[in-house]
């Protein structure tokens, strides 16, 4: 109880986040784009600006999916998806006003 589990994209999933939340644990990790339960709205980069972030909420705001679009030199736009159950961690801010 009261612990945080940080995982990579192989192990991050919505069912795992729900199970850990019920046990009093939090989870933070990146997700693969082909995971079950992710809609095309979350995984698509069309119409999204570089360094833009969108937050989706599930389960009364306790579980957050954050989609962050970056521009890579080799592949162009890439969507990085995070799953987070830590309260108030999924805020997006910019203090330098440089777009990141």
């Amino acid at each position: 109880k009261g612990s945080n589990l940080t995982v990579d994209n192989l192990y991050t999933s919505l069912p795992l986040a729900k199970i850990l939340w019920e046990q009093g644990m939090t989870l933070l990790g990146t997700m693969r784009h082909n995971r079950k339960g992710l809609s095309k709205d979350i995984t698509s980069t069309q119409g999204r600006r570089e360094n833009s972030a969108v937050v989706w909420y599930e389960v009364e705001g306790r579980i957050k999916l954050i989609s962050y679009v970056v521009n890579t030199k080799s592949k162009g736009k890439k969507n990085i998806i995070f799953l987070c159950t830590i309260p108030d961690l999924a805020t997006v801010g910019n203090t330098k006003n440089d777009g990141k």
Side-chain angles (χ1 to χ4, degrees):
K1 275 198 174 260
S3 299
N4 179 48
L5 183 64
T6 305
V7 294
D8 66 359
N9 62 13
L10 266 167
Y11 301 103
T12 308
S13 67
L14 289 169
L16 175 63
K18 291 176 185 176
I19 291 169
L20 291 174
W21 182 263
E22 291 169 359
Q23 299 296 320
M25 295 178 66
T26 57
L27 178 122
L28 175 67
T30 57
M31 289 190 75
R32 291 185 177 210
H33 298 264
N34 59 356
R35 283 281 184 194
K36 285 185 179 181
L38 292 181
S39 70
K40 293 287 182 189
D41 295 335
I42 298 171
T43 60
S44 175
T45 59
Q46 288 186 335
R48 300 271 308 274
R49 293 183 307 134
E50 180 182 348
N51 298 324
S52 65
V54 179
V55 180
W56 283 270
Y57 295 94
E58 185 185 279
V59 190
E60 301 169 1
R62 295 183 305 212
I63 298 175
K64 298 162 208 65
L65 286 170
I66 302 108
S67 169
Y68 182 69
V69 175
V70 295
N71 195 13
T72 62
K73 291 181 181 179
S74 61
K75 295 183 181 179
K77 283 185 181 179
K78 183 177 179 181
N79 192 354
I80 302 170
I81 301 172
F82 298 96
L83 178 70
C84 176
T85 61
I86 302 171
D88 300 327
L89 181 69
T91 57
V92 178
N94 182 7
T95 58
K96 295 181 181 177
N97 210 12
D98 60 359
K100 294 182 181 177

